[in-house]
Amino acid sequence: MELDDRSKKILDDLLSNPSTSSKDLEKKYKLTRRQLGYSINKINDWLDESKLSPIERTRQGHFIIDQTVFTNLASEQPNASPADMNILSEDQRVYMIVMMILSNEELSLFHFTSELEVSKNTVLSDLKRAQEFVSRLDLNIRYSRRLGYLIEGKEFNIRKLLTNVISKLLNMTNGADRICELANIQEHEITEINNRIDNVEKKLTIQFTDEKVAIMPYTLILVLERIKKGHIVDPFYIGYEELSDTKEYLATEEILYDIEDIPMEERMFITLYLLTANVYWSEFLTEETIPNLKQAIDDMLRLFEKRAIIFIQDREQLLNKLLLHIKPAYYRIKYHLTEVNDVELSVSKEFMELHHLVQQSTEPLEELIGEKIPESETTYLTMLIGGWLSKQGDSIQEKVKAIVVCPKGVSVSRLMFSELRELFPEFVFLDSLSVREFVNYKLDYDIIFSPVVLETKKKLFIASSFLEREEKIRLRKQVMLETHGYIPSDIDIEELINIVKNHADIKDEQRLRKNLYRYIHRDDTAQVKNQEKALPAAGLDELITPGNITLRQSVSSWDEAIRIAANPLVESGHIETRYVDAIISHYDKDPYIVIGPNIAIPHAAPDEGVNDVSMSLLRLENGVIFTEDYSINLIVIIAAVDKQKHLKALMQLMKLAGSDEDRNAIIHSDSREEIFKIINKYSV
């Protein structure tokens, strides 16, 4: 990790003058006691990473510094002159220019050259870079002879820019002083707002992070100044009903109690600003304003556990920790307030694959918020979850990570991926890829499953796109032998019993030994045969019978096509009308229902109105448009009651979908009987 400028300067002061006190540092850098404590903690984290002793602070406010710190760091202190300290980078000049424009009027090039102490040409170049910087938020820098330089655009976006620039400037040397000078902020204004923020924290029984507390006073002062000048946010951005009942709204009233003429939309904005501030600690975790948030986080964790093959310990503690972060993130994401500088947060190489699995698990949160989770927010979630797993001694780095590479289209690839994940539940499956995607794949993995030969140094296992049961048995034995050096059934019962004894009390050791032996040494082939006897032999011809086939020339819409296709199953009682409604409501969320040219398999969940496993087929001479990307002639409604009973028929259907000749023959058939003959070919 790297120290920020403020922490570096405090460390330099302590090394050059160990007798300095907390009060001296607070006064010198205009810090609160907590802000100084935050910097000391960061310094100690950095020292710990450097294998050096931490700096201790006495009750009297003095510091105790181990001699090893002086020995190791004294020689590293640069002998920089004051002039060197004032040299600004291009980015820093851009931030200062933006701050000047946001907080001052009638600015000319002369103001910039004087403040930045650079030439006119340098300022003109910096203004171009400043334009690139603000354009990320759809803003524009314009010059007017009468008004000077202005930043134009939606006020909501200008506020986001303001918060971002304050954060950037505070990380510079003497950043707080620079902001006050550029924006004409007086010290007593900062003190007043800090006092009000302290009252807010007490009222809310929370503590904002020190970084947010450092930014808040400058942001609030400059926002209030913009309001006075008539720059008001658009009221349509913020939902009054959602924010007005929050404790943060009461806190806003506390901050503004003696400030007149603040419009309601601005009170809403400041409430939103408080809601989006990261929280370090909270006495009461409540979902008063965000129903179902904790449940969505729990669902996200369960999806993650399934994908990462990991069991999270002390789950409730992690849930509460995530809730502290996600509650403000909810408002940041919903109202597009994720800060530009947050995007710079990146995942370490150690957590790349973990981050990928977290991204794949955020769907419950996205459904609750109604927005895609930004990269910066998922990155922070990855760090929280990754840190928790490290604490419990778990890591996906120790697990076998697999990918599936299939050249036969999204639907076939997805089915293959699902089957292999069930076949190897101990492996972490990262992705299903096309061959072109595989060539540029960046994540780390151990093995590849593919129906085609690939150029790779990793372990490659050739597997059919549609795995028959016998091939599954062979493939599992082959893979386990090559990856772990044993076939799964080769397990020593006595060794297993001894392991169990170390962690649990065994009531009936003889019976446990017998049951373990039966399970481990079961005949996989016999088990398959038994499963085949237990499950109905539902082939494609048994589900799509002539009575379940409908012929039409054309239909007016996709919805109509679904209802016509499903009608035979509704009339026979295999499905209920609500199952058809569920298919229609879900169709735009599942492009994978298209399994080949001109053919789709719409379906919903078993609990949405399926009474018995069944299928029906609608043939259209003129295709119906599906999601603007496909023209569909063959619609097969699938009603499944579990994960097994329809799979045989589905596999046969997938093979039929892969045949251009037979698929086109069905599209141009004149009768149900002709179609059924083709279906029979694939039902052996």
Side-chain angles (χ1 to χ4, degrees), residues 135-333:
S135 65
R136 292 187 238 173
L137 290 168
D138 295 324
L139 299 172
N140 184 55
I141 296 176
R142 184 174 70 86
Y143 178 74
S144 158
R145 286 190 176 182
R146 185 171 65 88
L147 300 174
Y149 282 92
L150 305 167
I151 292 180
E152 296 180 326
K154 292 181 178 178
E155 181 64 20
F156 197 82
N157 289 345
I158 289 176
R159 303 287 177 84
K160 291 165 71 173
L161 176 66
L162 181 64
T163 305
N164 183 26
V165 169
I166 290 170
S167 174
K168 299 285 191 186
L169 290 172
L170 281 175
N171 283 326
M172 292 169 55
T173 303
N174 299 323
D177 289 339
R178 289 183 191 275
I179 294 173
C180 290
E181 183 180 340
L182 295 172
N184 301 310
I185 297 174
Q186 304 301 312
E187 189 173 342
H188 69 85
E189 294 178 274
I190 300 291
T191 303
E192 175 61 24
I193 291 292
N194 273 326
N195 290 336
R196 296 188 185 212
I197 291 170
D198 286 340
N199 289 334
V200 163
E201 288 186 314
K202 290 171 186 174
K203 200 173 190 80
L204 295 179
T205 63
I206 63 173
Q207 283 185 7
F208 299 113
T209 62
D210 291 297
E211 288 171 295
K212 292 296 178 184
V213 170
I215 295 170
M216 275 185 189
Y218 305 100
T219 304
L220 292 173
I221 288 168
L222 292 175
V223 163
L224 291 172
E225 186 61 32
R226 289 190 68 80
I227 294 170
K228 286 180 187 177
K229 292 177 180 178
H231 302 298
I232 308 298
V233 293
D234 188 335
F236 297 105
Y237 272 104
I238 304 168
Y240 174 81
E241 295 79 7
E242 184 173 11
L243 305 186
S244 60
D245 290 334
T246 63
K247 291 186 294 181
E248 284 80 357
Y249 181 74
L250 296 176
T252 299
E253 295 299 296
E254 181 80 17
I255 291 174
L256 304 177
Y257 74 92
D258 61 345
I259 304 175
E260 298 178 355
D261 301 324
I262 303 296
M264 180 53 69
E265 52 265 38
E266 291 295 352
R267 294 174 186 274
M268 290 293 100
F269 177 83
I270 294 173
T271 300
L272 185 59
Y273 178 71
L274 294 178
L275 282 164
T276 58
N278 285 347
V279 176
Y280 171 71
W281 168 86
S282 177
E283 184 178 346
F284 303 107
L285 285 173
T286 154
E287 293 185 79
E288 291 171 4
T289 56
I290 314 178
N292 305 317
L293 177 59
K294 194 167 185 179
Q295 183 59 53
I297 298 171
D298 190 50
D299 291 344
M300 178 193 75
L301 284 180
R302 293 192 188 284
L303 273 178
F304 169 76
E305 286 177 306
K306 181 181 177 182
R307 287 181 167 87
I309 322 298
I310 278 174
F311 174 75
I312 293 174
Q313 301 169 18
D314 301 320
R315 183 188 199 82
E316 194 66 23
Q317 290 181 37
L318 178 58
L319 268 173
N320 288 334
K321 189 172 184 179
L322 289 170
L323 189 60
L324 274 175
H325 169 74
I326 293 174
K327 183 181 176 183
Y330 170 92
Y331 294 100
R332 282 199 299 271
I333 296 165

Side-chain angles (χ1 to χ4, degrees), residues 604-666:
D607 61 1
E608 293 182 291
V610 178
N611 297 323
D612 196 10
V613 61
S614 50
M615 287 185 181
S616 60
L617 167 67
L618 170 64
R619 193 291 317 271
L620 299 170
E621 285 187 32
N622 302 318
V624 62
I625 299 301
F626 171 72
T627 65
E628 301 181 358
D629 297 318
Y630 305 100
S631 176
I632 303 299
N633 296 82
L634 304 176
I635 298 170
V636 180
I637 301 292
I638 296 179
V641 292
D642 57 27
K643 293 182 179 180
Q644 297 295 329
K645 291 182 181 179
H646 67 295
L647 278 184
K648 182 177 179 182
L650 179 59
M651 299 289 278
Q652 292 168 350
L653 178 64
M654 297 293 278
K655 289 179 182 177
L656 192 161
S659 168
D660 291 340
E661 181 182 349
D662 287 329
R663 193 179 60 253
N664 289 325
I666 292 177

Side-chain angles (χ1 to χ4, degrees), residues 23-156:
K23 287 185 178 180
D24 294 334
L25 293 173
E26 288 167 15
K27 185 176 180 181
K28 180 174 181 178
Y29 295 104
K30 297 178 182 176
L31 303 173
T32 64
R33 182 179 179 184
R34 193 172 64 186
Q35 287 171 330
L36 176 61
Y38 172 71
S39 285
I40 296 298
N41 288 337
K42 289 195 78 170
I43 290 169
N44 281 336
D45 289 342
W46 181 80
L47 289 172
D48 181 63
E49 196 174 89
S50 304
K51 304 291 189 294
L52 296 172
S53 300
I55 294 173
E56 297 179 29
R57 190 158 41 159
T58 69
R59 289 187 177 181
Q60 292 74 33
H62 294 287
F63 298 93
I64 302 173
I65 306 173
D66 193 272
Q67 184 59 44
T68 55
V69 176
F70 289 104
T71 305
N72 283 274
L73 299 183
S75 59
E76 298 179 14
Q77 299 307 308
N79 296 317
S81 67
D84 293 332
M85 299 298 289
N86 290 325
I87 296 175
L88 300 170
S89 69
E90 290 178 349
D91 286 343
Q92 289 172 333
R93 292 199 303 271
V94 165
Y95 305 144
M96 291 179 70
I97 287 172
V98 171
M99 176 55 73
M100 289 175 72
I101 298 174
L102 287 174
S103 51
N104 294 276
E105 297 176 345
E106 300 180 12
L107 291 175
S108 65
L109 283 177
F110 171 76
H111 292 94
F112 298 132
T113 56
S114 299
E115 181 64 42
L116 302 175
E117 297 180 351
V118 292
S119 68
K120 179 180 174 181
N121 287 337
T122 299
V123 167
L124 288 171
S125 178
D126 289 340
L127 280 166
K128 287 182 181 178
R129 277 189 287 272
Q131 174 57 53
E132 292 173 7
F133 179 64
V134 304
S135 65
R136 292 187 238 173
L137 290 168
D138 295 324
L139 299 172
N140 184 55
I141 296 176
R142 184 174 70 86
Y143 178 74
S144 158
R145 286 190 176 182
R146 185 171 65 88
L147 300 174
Y149 282 92
L150 305 167
I151 292 180
E152 296 180 326
K154 292 181 178 178
E155 181 64 20
F156 197 82

